[in-house]
Amino acid sequence: MLLALAASAPLSAEEARWNAPVAPFRIAGNLYYVGTAELASYLVVDPQGMILLDGGLEASAPLILDNIRALGFDPKRVRYLINSQAHYDHAGGLAALKEATGAELLASPADAELLERGGSGDFQWGDRFIYPPVQVDGRLRDGAELKLGAIRMTAYLTPGHTRGCTSWTMPVQVDGRARQALFVCGASAPGYTLVGNAAYPWIMDDFRRSFATWRKLPCDLFLGAHGSYFGLAEKRARMAPGRPNPFVDPKGCRAFLQGAEQRIEAQAAKGAMQGG
Ligand SMILES: [Zn+2]
């Protein structure tokens, strides 16, 4: 009972801002934005079925379903649900979305554990940010390819922000050209202990490997779990027929990753100076 009450707690002012409804739209080709103002959710469409990446907050699920329908798609055609990070603001809606779509949920082994515990026992947050637990149907290894019709998505394990943080790449047709999309899982560590973290001693090794992975991955279409990572609202406003697609932003992608890496390294250096 306590768990259910906590999971359905009213949204904070910040969460309400994140969860503000926005109209869904086609980013490019077979890729659509169906998330909220700040919490990204992506729909990839093929005649064989659809893939949905990320579920927002528990309170985002009905908005995501409405957005899918508003685009003219049937949520029941979602075959796979995938997740960037098993935190409450990206995984909170997955249980309801799984129920509504009947899709299979795929996740990395480490984040699958957190999803099935509904976010409790998080190495950083403990039981502070919990959400409805959701059963994972398949575990993704690093480099796993998810195929559905002509869709080819590749999972890259980029741990640090969560132990199983998963970034995705996929080819997308943009203005008649084949481009590569990168969905960045999460490259921040808000308030985390990065040096001498008893709950996650190798967190900096993981972060450094993840930044090395991101550096190698193609990133024409720059996307991520939070709209603010990649300037969602500003780029959406700049979309216009006959103009280059603003989401094609390899420079912005590199700058974001470089800035994130510098912040993590500075945070770790400060932690080391303070004796962990
Ligand atoms: Zn997070």
Side-chain angles (χ1 to χ4, degrees), residues 122-240:
D122 184 272
F123 73 84
Q124 175 65 24
W125 308 111
D127 295 346
R128 196 168 142 200
F129 295 113
I130 56 170
Y131 53 85
V134 55
Q135 207 199 313
V136 177
D137 304 294
R139 305 304 201 252
L140 296 161
R141 57 171 177 77
D142 191 28
E145 196 180 46
L146 178 57
K147 295 185 198 173
L148 179 61
I151 303 170
R152 298 285 179 277
M153 296 186 77
T154 309
Y156 291 91
L157 303 197
T158 49
H161 184 83
T162 60
R163 288 174 187 269
C165 215
T166 307
S167 297
W168 290 87
T169 63
M170 67 175 277
V172 185
Q173 283 290 323
V174 189
D175 303 330
R177 265 186 75 181
R179 300 281 201 171
Q180 289 288 331
L182 173 61
F183 304 88
V184 178
C185 155
S188 68
Y192 290 20
T193 300
L194 296 176
V195 179
N197 187 328
Y200 191 175
W202 51 90
I203 185 167
M204 273 309 290
D205 298 330
D206 275 2
F207 262 122
R208 287 182 179 131
R209 253 198 315 272
S210 295
F211 280 108
T213 300
W214 285 316
R215 266 198 300 275
K216 280 189 309 215
L217 292 175
C219 182
D220 305 320
L221 266 188
F222 169 32
L223 301 164
H226 279 268
S228 54
Y229 291 171
F230 58 93
L232 167 69
E234 177 268 321
K235 284 175 177 164
R236 171 72 186 94
R238 274 202 282 132
M239 286 183 108

Side-chain angles (χ1 to χ4, degrees), residues 84-110:
S84 58
Q85 41 160 299
H87 279 159
Y88 83 120
D89 48 347
H90 310 281
L94 290 176
L97 290 166
K98 193 176 172 190
E99 178 82 36
T101 60
E104 267 181 65
L105 174 61
L106 310 176
S108 66

